[in-house]
Each structure stands twice: as C-alpha cells, then as structure tokens.
Amino acid sequence: MSVEDKTSAPAKSTVTSAAAKSGGGWLSQIAQLAGVVAVVFLAKGAIAEPFYVPSGSMEPTLLIGDALLASKFPYGYGSASLPMQINLPGTGRVFEEAPKRGDVVVFRWPGDRSQAWVKRVVGLPGDRIQMRQGQLFINDRAAELKPDGVGEAEDDNGHSERAYRFIETLPNGVSHLIFKERDNGRLDNTPEVTVPAGQLFVMGDNRDNSADSRIPVREGGVGLLPMDNLVGRADAVVGSWDLGMRSQPVWTWLSGFRGSRFFTAVH
C-alpha cells in the first residue's frame, strides 16, 4: 500500500508540473497573440486604415479598384473612427480638427453608418455653396476650371464613357482633376446652401456621376455631412487592380494590376 502511495504521488506531481508548464506556455502565446491583435487594432483605429474604391464617383482622382489608405489622426477621433463597421450614436470627437477645402475624406454614410464612402470636401461651416451651369461657386467665388483634355469615365458596371477633364482650382488654391461627362446635367444647377456648424459639403470629382452633398440622404446622396461621421483623410493609393479583368481568363489577371498607381499620393 505504501509502495503504491510512493509511486503514485511522484507521478501525480510530475503530471501536474508538466501541465503547469504547458499551461504557462499556452498562456504566454495567447498573451502575445492578444498583444499583436491589440497593436493592429490600435493602429487601424488610431493611425490609418485601408479602404477599397468600388465606384467611379471620384474619377479621375480615384479609380474603381483602388486600395486607399486613410489617415485617422488629421481630424481627431470619434465613433466613426473605429476599425469595425458598427453603428454607434455620434458622441463627438476628441482632438478634433476641421478638414481643409480640397481634402479627400473617408466617412460613414449618414444613411447607413456601416458603409464607408469617399468624397472631396468643398464646403466648410459657414460657406455658401452653389453649382451654376456646372461650375462650383464658394461664397459667390467661382472655382477656376482649366480644360485638360479628354478621358474615359468608368461606371460601376465596367462600361466607359468619354468625359472632358478639367483642372479645378478652389478659392484656397487647391487644384485637382475633375470629370464632366455632359453639359446641363441634373446636378449642374443647384440652390445655394449655407453649410451649418459641425457639417461639411462634399462632392465627387466625377461631377455627373456622384451621389454627394448635392443630393439628400433620402434620395441616396450624402446631404450635408456631419463631421462626426469622418473616418479619416485619404492620403495614398497603396494598390490598384482593374476589376474589368474579372471577366477575362484567370491567367490574364496579373495584367490588371495598375503598377503606376501603387503607393501614389491622393491629390
């Protein structure tokens, strides 16, 4: 009996000790993994987050198939900055900074905050915004338009349409490219709107194919964008692939990568 006690006790002790070491190892690995996840989560939440462009509303600045990197810190942080598509009530922002006219911003669409959209800021609080015969006016001052040839505007179905390209210069001196596909479009003449405090007027660079602040949310547009919906500033295109290649044989897909757009700044 005593022999059984002596032989069983050390065996039990040895197993317990091994389990403790194994458990400690697993706990250490779990802690390390949790640390990595936390760092990635914080980086996406506080520094930058990648987004994908599925529509042509920002052509020619952004193309369908571009992968964007949006910086979080320029405008401060709010519930929209979280790196998860969850719906939370607007709670204000910390370290808040207003965008500048001409910034390209990623934001949560007011009609469904789980959706991230991208547009260009053209109106700040207090600004009076109006479209007159296809030209943008800010506080009764026209944004300068300079013809820049002709391009191809791609729609969401992969079809292309000839579009006139212009260099638009905002009153603060920021210049960028826009597309105009037609004259006298339905959004070429709009009532003057005064941007309220805490909101922005945003537009797509593809002026005839953009659901933006010229269209109310109930009609599928953005309306006046609350600053609380800002996610970040679109600073760079980190990659790009022509989605039209999906209809081609798989072995040709590599040719769809737009190498010239990789790691380029967004203007």
Side-chain angles (χ1 to χ4, degrees):
M1 186 74 175
S2 60
V3 173
E4 291 178 359
D5 288 343
K6 288 180 181 179
T7 56
S8 61
K12 184 176 180 181
S13 176
T14 302
V15 170
T16 303
S17 176
K21 290 181 180 178
S22 175
W26 280 108
L27 287 174
S28 176
Q29 292 180 25
I30 291 172
Q32 291 177 16
L33 179 60
V36 170
V37 172
V39 169
V40 172
F41 186 87
L42 288 173
K44 286 185 67 177
I47 302 174
E49 185 173 354
F51 291 92
Y52 167 76
V53 179
S55 77
S57 69
M58 279 295 293
E59 292 175 335
T61 303
L62 300 175
L63 305 182
I64 298 174
D66 281 352
L68 289 178
L69 195 64
S71 301
K72 300 288 187 74
F73 54 87
Y75 309 136
Y77 304 94
S79 60
S81 307
L82 295 174
M84 298 179 294
Q85 294 184 1
I86 57 177
N87 293 320
L88 291 175
T91 54
R93 305 179 71 83
V94 295
F95 308 117
E96 181 177 10
E97 291 288 340
K100 299 179 177 61
R101 291 190 198 91
D103 282 1
V104 177
V105 297
V106 176
F107 57 91
R108 299 293 178 189
W109 180 45
D112 179 357
R113 285 172 62 95
S114 69
Q115 297 184 27
W117 288 25
V118 58
K119 303 290 181 189
R120 188 181 298 276
V121 175
V122 298
L124 301 176
D127 284 344
R128 291 176 288 111
I129 307 297
Q130 187 176 23
M131 293 295 293
R132 304 176 190 171
Q133 298 181 340
Q135 189 168 17
L136 172 65
F137 281 74
I138 303 174
N139 300 323
D140 279 328
R141 184 176 173 184
E144 179 186 341
L145 290 177
K146 180 181 178 181
D148 190 54
V150 178
E152 293 287 328
E154 183 182 4
D155 63 23
D156 301 352
N157 298 316
H159 302 123
S160 294
E161 183 175 349
R162 188 170 181 265
Y164 293 101
R165 190 170 56 217
F166 293 88
I167 299 173
E168 181 179 75
T169 302
L170 302 178
N172 63 343
V174 173
S175 296
H176 55 273
L177 290 172
I178 68 167
F179 268 162
K180 279 293 295 173
E181 298 178 20
R182 62 189 65 88
D183 293 328
N184 299 316
R186 71 185 186 95
L187 300 176
D188 279 354
N189 293 281
T190 64
E192 184 178 84
V193 174
T194 299
V195 183
Q199 297 186 324
L200 303 166
F201 199 102
V202 297
M203 293 177 64
D205 290 346
N206 189 347
R207 293 294 165 80
D208 295 317
N209 185 24
S210 176
D212 47 42
S213 288
R214 295 172 292 177
I215 302 173
V217 173
R218 65 179 179 275
E219 296 178 15
V222 177
L224 291 167
L225 176 67
M227 288 194 194
D228 284 350
N229 286 43
L230 289 173
V231 173
R233 184 181 65 203
D235 284 337
V237 174
V238 295
S240 185
W241 187 69
D242 182 359
L243 296 187
M245 295 300 297
R246 291 178 298 183
S247 62
Q248 303 300 317
V250 173
W251 58 84
T252 66
W253 284 9
L254 284 177
S255 64
F257 285 103
R258 305 180 182 114
S260 63
R261 296 189 64 76
F262 278 54
F263 304 106
T264 56
V266 175
H267 298 290

